[in-house]
């Protein structure tokens, strides 16, 4: 841990941890769906729909968590509009402002892709079915490119937001954004794999999803080791939040990776599929909790 500290704790708790977690899961799910949409075969589209159908409902959990955590929740609109005169509030030099607008634009893409996927499922029938137009022609790849790029950004920006603070553990390492991005992709691919296992039409994409999950998990493990090394090593992580970080690595990364190697080409839908997938998702939550609370604990009682 750095000895060139620091500002007062941000007093962030589970609301912000939940915002980081759900935001990462939604962004990762959308990014994976966009990759399938852009580079997959026409028969892979049912698997892409899984990501789109997950992203918007999970993303909808984020604004309430973020707004309730504000000191003055009713002024949340100041993130986007000036308070003293009409005008847009955008500060290109502020990661918070950039992230807020990226989240808003990503929400628009997630909503369009969600309703487009619903329209496809309805096979174009009825009023809702007409929304399948969002998934046809040039609009489908355009939406996947824009939303996918924003998804990758949102999945990692919360970590970058921590890095640019002056708090221990957060500002000590430049890897928090990359670590959160890898964790989001790993957990989202695990969740998509779990859902795809129960949908025969998504079967062709399951091997790709498994490779994505395990590749992201392996990258997350490397980044986690480097993150610990750059924040003072194991000595700095002695205590409850070090144990939580270790649990995130063991349950959320090593267990799914081990299961993947042991059950290579496994196509089941039972506990051997469910447990590693849920472990990856819970590990992603534990990782964010450990990183947030480790910094919050320093100087909190001073």
């Amino acid at each position: 841990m750095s000895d060139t500290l620091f500002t007062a704790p941000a007093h962030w708790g589970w609301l912000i941890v939940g915002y980081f977690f759900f935001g990462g899961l939604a962004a990762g799910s959308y990014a994976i769906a966009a990759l399938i949409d852009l580079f997959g075969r026409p028969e892979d589209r049912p698997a892409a729909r899984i990501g789109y159908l997950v992203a918007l409902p999970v993303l909808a959990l984020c604004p309430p968590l973020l707004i309730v955590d504000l000191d003055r929740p009713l002024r949340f609109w100041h993130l986007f509009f000036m308070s003293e005169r009409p005008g847009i509030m955008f500060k290109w030099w502020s990661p918070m402002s950039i992230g807020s607008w990226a989240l808003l634009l990503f929400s628009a893409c997630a909503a369009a892709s969600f309703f487009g996927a619903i329209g496809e499922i309805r096979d174009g029938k009825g009023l809702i079915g007409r929304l399948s137009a969002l998934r046809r022609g040039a609009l489908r790849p355009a939406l996947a490119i824009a939303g996918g790029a924003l998804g990758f950004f949102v999945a990692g920006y919360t970590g970058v937001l921590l890095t640019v603070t002056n708090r221990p553990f957060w500002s000590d390492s430049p890897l928090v954004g990359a670590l959160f991005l890898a964790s989001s992709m790993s957990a989202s691919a695990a969740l998509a794999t779990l859902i795809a296992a129960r949908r025969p039409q998504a079967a062709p994409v399951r091997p790709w999803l498994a490779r994505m999950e395990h590749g992201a998990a392996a990258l997350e493990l490397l980044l986690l080791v480097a993150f610990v090394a750059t924040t003072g090593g194991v000595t700095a992580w002695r205590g409850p939040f070090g144990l939580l970080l270790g649990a995130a690595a063991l349950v959320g990364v090593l267990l799914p990776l081990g299961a993947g190697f042991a059950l290579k080409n496994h196509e089941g839908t039972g506990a051997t599929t469910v447990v590693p997938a849920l472990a990856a998702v819970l590990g992603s939550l534990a990782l964010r909790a450990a990183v947030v609370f480790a910094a919050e604990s320093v100087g909190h009682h001073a």
Side-chain angles (χ1 to χ4, degrees), residues 19-29 62 154-155 180 184-185 188 288:
Y19 164 63
F20 285 179
F21 169 67
F22 289 121
L25 196 62
S29 296
C62 295
V154 170
F180 277 18
S184 296
M185 297 304 293
S188 300
R288 285 157 176 78

Side-chain angles (χ1 to χ4, degrees), residues 21 40 86 109-110 131 136 145 174 181 188 211 228 238 244:
F21 169 67
C109 292
L131 295 172
R136 290 198 295 265
I145 291 172
L181 174 58
S188 300
R211 289 195 296 274
V228 171
R238 286 184 299 186
L244 186 58

